[in-house]
Amino acid sequence: MLELIDKGTLIVLMCAGCICFGLITLLGRGWRDQSIRCWGLGYLLAGVGLTMYVLRGLIPDWISIQVANSLMLLGIGMMLNALITHTQQRQFRSVLIAWLIISIVGFNLISLPPVDSVRLSRTLFISIVVAFSQGFAIVILLRSSIRRSTLTHVLISTHAMLMTVFAVRAVYLVWAWLDWGYFPVNARVPEVGSVVFFLVVLSFVFLQAPSYMLIRKEEADRRMVRAETKLTEQLAERELEQRFYESRLLAERAETIEHFARGIAHDGNNVIGVLQLGMGQLRERVARGQKPSKAALDLMETGLARARTINSGLIALSGTSKPAIKPVCIATVVDEVGAMLTFSVPEAVRVTTHATPGLYADSHHPFLVTALLNLGRNGAEAMGSHGGRLHIAAELVDEIPHGDKQIGTVVKGPLIDITVTDEGPGIVAADFARVFDPMVTTKAETEGHGYGLYMVRAVTERIGAALVIQTSEHTGTVVHFLLAQGDGNDPATRRA
């Protein structure tokens, strides 16, 4: 057997295997993991130290003995640090540092010249510290809270076998010292025992190296499975949330359509009522052989104007592009809005108008009428059955007035200020921030649809106007609808 395998061959195999395993570990993707990096570096250092030991006689003794064994001990320390990092037991790091200092410093003190006179002392010291390191590794693994798999038990077993082998070797050396009374210079462990020792060490070192890597892979696989499971659960939750959101969105859309349709139907019924009233008067006069009255025709014209206003409001809500802007006679608009409000507001509300003659604004006539009509109707409904005065006026101003709320801005001046003033209770502070939002109404559900003031806001933004609201519980509400002055037929009314 000694002719086929000797101690030197086994050491060469061990150093080659350690270097190759260390390089493979460090060159792979695992180097990003600190524990794997320490494990691979430990094997690489141990392999380099063994290589120096094999080259004894070809290199100086202090390199092949002191440096070589120091590198091997440092490599074992790196492997122990890998286990500490893996098990997250930092309390053992101070023990590791103490072991490293005692091992490396102690070995180098024992190895002081003459070198050959302390050969067995070096061997005994190395055997003791390595046996302690393997026992220390077992303690680290057993104290860990990480779930132990079959591979973990295999790794613990390799450490236990290496600890036993080195402990037996240390006991044998102590026995030899007690038997001889001293360490003879030329005393050596029998060659057969050395071969068996290095063969066992080689076997368990080569079994230990991949065991730890497989444990790390096993844990990585478990983490991946947990991550995939969690991701699947999150996707399922998101899918449920998406379904809930879609169903809620559909319900809100249906509610919005119902709400909007109810409002349009309400306005449409008002228009139909006016037209039916006018048509009834015409039929009655025709049946009597009388001529159609101007009052009936004016009433029907008011209904048609109201229908056009509703249509303009819908167009204002249906897009965001700026409409065609051109000079609009403000007096005509104020009179038109006043006439329509007179026929549509409660009898207790008195509508008055006043506009400075010759005012023209750069605006869109249907949109402007829609906005002012909605503001007027909102003020009249605020006064309710108690009644009061609803006044619409227009004048030229130099700057935007101050108010409680402003929507939009007009950067071009001078300005035309169209005011809609009511004598109602004013806007409550709690409703003030959202009265211009869609589907917001302070009236009963059957009386308001919440799109009137929203139409006003949409018109304001689309035609480049501005709104300033002044409200008080004692004096009612004043809404300033501000427009840039435009070119009209009467240039004398324009300020420089």
Side-chain angles (χ1 to χ4, degrees), residues 466-480:
L467 277 179
V468 175
I469 300 95
Q470 299 169 338
T471 185
S472 172
E473 295 183 5
H474 304 290
T475 59
T477 301
V478 179
V479 180
H480 298 265

Side-chain angles (χ1 to χ4, degrees), residues 193-211:
S194 296
V195 171
V196 173
F197 170 77
F198 281 104
L199 182 60
V200 173
V201 171
L202 176 68
S203 301
F204 284 103
V205 166
F206 281 4
L207 180 62
Q208 189 180 86
S211 296

Side-chain angles (χ1 to χ4, degrees), residues 57-343:
L58 300 177
I59 59 177
D61 288 342
W62 66 273
I63 295 179
S64 63
I65 296 176
Q66 282 97 323
V67 176
N69 283 275
S70 297
L71 286 176
M72 284 187 283
L73 292 172
L74 184 59
I76 294 173
M78 294 297 294
M79 287 183 271
L80 291 173
N81 186 57
L83 295 178
I84 292 174
T85 303
H86 164 59
T87 58
Q88 298 180 356
Q89 299 184 89
R90 297 180 179 178
Q91 69 273 18
F92 288 125
R93 195 149 284 161
S94 58
V95 179
L96 172 60
I97 294 173
W99 176 85
L100 270 175
I101 294 174
I102 293 172
S103 300
I104 296 176
V105 174
F107 180 83
N108 283 277
L109 290 176
I110 293 174
S111 302
L112 292 175
V115 175
D116 291 334
S117 64
V118 290
R119 182 189 301 261
L120 291 182
S121 301
R122 293 197 309 268
T123 307
L124 175 60
F125 185 82
I126 285 293
S127 299
I128 293 173
V129 296
V130 173
F132 178 85
S133 70
Q134 300 306 300
F136 185 34
I138 295 173
V139 173
I140 294 172
L141 291 171
L142 292 178
R143 291 287 300 273
S144 171
S145 60
I146 298 176
R147 189 181 70 177
R148 297 174 198 163
S149 63
T150 302
L151 287 171
T152 306
H153 291 296
V154 171
L155 182 61
I156 294 174
S157 299
T158 61
H159 285 294
M161 290 302 300
L162 289 173
M163 179 185 69
T164 302
V165 170
F166 278 95
V168 168
R169 190 186 193 200
V171 170
Y172 172 78
L173 292 173
V174 172
W175 171 78
W177 179 75
L178 291 175
D179 185 47
W180 294 324
Y182 63 95
F183 280 137
V185 174
N186 296 321
R188 293 175 180 274
V189 179
E191 188 68 22
V192 174
S194 296
V195 171
V196 173
F197 170 77
F198 281 104
L199 182 60
V200 173
V201 171
L202 176 68
S203 301
F204 284 103
V205 166
F206 281 4
L207 180 62
Q208 189 180 86
S211 296
Y212 178 74
M213 299 299 296
L214 291 174
I215 289 173
R216 298 294 293 157
K217 182 182 183 302
E218 194 176 60
E219 291 183 356
D221 292 341
R222 282 199 297 267
R223 286 196 300 269
M224 183 176 294
V225 170
R226 287 196 298 267
E228 290 177 351
T229 303
K230 185 177 181 180
L231 180 60
T232 302
E233 293 175 353
Q234 289 177 347
L235 290 175
E237 291 178 0
R238 290 182 181 180
E239 185 176 356
L240 290 175
E241 291 177 358
Q242 183 67 22
R243 290 180 180 177
F244 174 76
Y245 172 76
E246 290 176 354
S247 62
R248 182 177 176 182
L249 184 61
L250 289 175
E252 289 179 352
R253 286 178 177 175
E255 182 181 355
T256 301
I257 292 173
E258 178 185 357
H259 194 85
F260 189 70
R262 186 168 57 246
I264 297 302
H266 175 74
D267 289 339
N269 285 333
N270 291 336
V271 173
I272 293 173
V274 172
L275 293 176
Q276 285 179 338
L277 179 61
M279 183 63 70
Q281 293 179 2
L282 289 178
R283 285 180 177 176
E284 182 178 352
R285 293 186 69 85
V286 170
R288 293 176 180 177
Q290 299 176 352
K291 294 182 179 180
S293 67
K294 184 177 183 301
L297 294 176
D298 290 342
L299 183 64
M300 296 182 69
E301 178 61 30
T302 301
L304 292 175
R306 176 61 181 152
R308 288 193 295 270
T309 302
I310 295 174
N311 184 63
S312 297
L314 294 176
I315 294 175
L317 293 177
S318 65
T320 58
S321 59
K322 191 172 183 179
I325 302 298
K326 59 183 180 180
V328 175
C329 180
I330 299 302
T332 302
V333 171
V334 170
D335 291 341
E336 182 179 347
V337 171
M340 285 191 287
L341 288 173
T342 300
F343 283 101

